[in-house]
Amino acid sequence: MNEIGTNIKALRREKRMSQEQLAQALHVTRQTVSAWERGVALPGLDTLKEIALALEAEPERLLYGGRGERKVRYRPVSDWPVVLGLLALFYVMVFWVIPLFMPFVVGTLSDTAILLGGQLFLTLVIGVVYCLLRDEIRNQDFYASQRDAPPDGEE
């Protein structure tokens, strides 16, 4: 939380303002500005907007520092729940659902093998598509920032 205070102080010094000048612009006391900068107190959201206007900076720069740009991180997606879920689904299909309909299936063992293989293949395809879609949805901000970013070496 002290990071906001540090950012306020850095921006104030960058604008060559004293605590008193910033306090007058925000209609607060100098002690309030000092408390923000030391991390003893935090300004409210409305006050952050006013501070940003007084310091001619983006509110994000007060929160995150630097140029006000928050780097979007890639959040890896764990596939273990999907793998275990598909394994359980396959078990239920092979040992509970399929045997219920076996008396109604007329054919040879090869037909049954094709049926089981097809269900296994379909289960795996559904699992892979689910993982890909979940990754795309969860990290859509990351992918969007990658598309908008200039290529390496260009600014």
Side-chain angles (χ1 to χ4, degrees), residues 1-14 33-43 55 61-66:
M1 293 300 172
N2 194 18
E3 186 176 325
I4 294 173
T6 305
N7 295 336
I8 292 173
K9 186 175 186 177
L11 286 170
R12 178 181 60 79
R13 286 185 173 175
E14 188 178 295
V33 173
S34 175
W36 293 338
E37 291 180 355
R38 290 181 290 130
V40 175
L42 291 173
L55 295 174
R61 190 166 176 199
L62 290 173
L63 296 173
Y64 304 115

Side-chain angles (χ1 to χ4, degrees), residues 130-147:
Y130 173 76
C131 290
L132 292 173
L133 287 175
R134 186 174 64 164
D135 178 64
E136 181 71 29
I137 291 169
R138 181 174 177 162
N139 291 301
Q140 62 187 347
D141 294 336
F142 175 78
Y143 292 130
S145 70
Q146 294 298 337
R147 282 190 292 267

Side-chain angles (χ1 to χ4, degrees), residues 12-120:
R12 178 181 60 79
R13 286 185 173 175
E14 188 178 295
K15 292 292 179 185
R16 301 189 190 281
M17 293 177 73
S18 66
Q19 287 182 345
E20 185 67 38
Q21 290 170 329
L22 181 60
Q24 286 176 356
L26 299 173
H27 306 292
V28 296
T29 64
R30 183 196 59 76
Q31 288 82 3
T32 303
V33 173
S34 175
W36 293 338
E37 291 180 355
R38 290 181 290 130
V40 175
L42 291 173
L45 292 177
D46 294 337
T47 310
L48 274 175
K49 183 179 178 183
E50 296 299 321
I51 294 170
L53 288 173
L55 295 174
E56 299 173 357
E58 295 291 324
E60 290 82 13
R61 190 166 176 199
L62 290 173
L63 296 173
Y64 304 115
R67 300 179 141 241
E69 298 170 357
R70 185 175 58 170
K71 184 172 176 142
V72 181
R73 294 183 312 124
Y74 177 80
R75 298 176 298 179
V77 179
S78 173
D79 294 330
W80 280 110
V82 175
V83 170
L84 295 176
L86 290 175
L87 189 62
L89 177 67
F90 183 69
Y91 172 78
V92 168
M93 291 293 291
V94 169
F95 294 107
W96 292 96
V97 176
I98 293 175
L100 291 176
F101 297 106
M102 276 298 141
F104 302 110
V105 177
V106 178
T108 63
L109 181 61
S110 64
D111 291 340
T112 305
I114 291 172
L115 180 66
L116 291 175
Q119 287 184 346
L120 175 62

